[in-house]
Amino acid sequence: MTPLEHRHVTKCQGRGRPPQGEHALTGAERQARYRLRQAGRAAAARPTHPSRPRSRPQRWHAAVAELLALQAEYVAWLEAMPEPLRESATGEALQAIVDLDLDELLAIEPPRGFGRD
């Protein structure tokens, strides 16, 4: 009988992950990688809306501006429409939108709130 050799069955691994490249990263390289990962996560986690909601007067002016822009688009649509189609339901609806006087809405200045008028 030959004497059995004493050998370790389990492979001893060092602490942490093995290096991905040929050598282990320096502290500065690890920190740079960490900051890149965090920058990617922070950009995805940031809300797309402003942190402070708009005031009512700001929302009012934005809504009136949007209505005026839409009315201008409907005017262009009505003018581009052939004459026979202006008597259709679409033409009549466009004409009703064009006939609205939105200048009165533009002239209104909403109150700013308690103590700020």
Side-chain angles (χ1 to χ4, degrees):
M1 284 183 111
T2 60
L4 295 174
E5 294 179 19
H6 186 282
R7 61 181 184 174
H8 294 286
V9 178
T10 58
K11 185 176 180 182
C12 181
Q13 293 183 349
R15 294 177 58 131
R17 288 192 295 195
Q20 292 178 348
E22 300 212 3
H23 58 77
L25 296 177
T26 65
E29 291 170 333
R30 277 195 308 276
Q31 185 177 19
R33 271 194 185 175
Y34 174 78
R35 287 186 174 166
L36 278 174
R37 280 195 316 268
Q38 293 303 314
R41 290 179 187 156
R46 270 190 213 124
T48 56
H49 61 285
S51 59
R52 186 173 177 200
R54 296 187 307 167
S55 66
R56 286 187 185 118
Q58 289 173 333
R59 290 175 21 217
W60 173 264
H61 291 300
V64 170
E66 181 68 21
L67 283 173
L68 289 170
L70 280 171
Q71 188 180 36
E73 289 179 21
Y74 286 130
V75 166
W77 184 4
L78 184 65
E79 290 174 355
M81 186 176 278
E83 196 63 42
L85 291 179
R86 290 188 183 189
E87 302 300 323
S88 67
T90 302
E92 290 175 4
L94 289 173
Q95 188 63 47
I97 292 171
V98 168
D99 291 341
L100 287 175
D101 186 18
L102 297 180
D103 292 332
E104 293 177 16
L105 289 176
L106 191 58
I108 296 174
E109 186 63 36
R112 295 184 334 187
F114 181 75
R116 292 182 279 168
D117 290 336

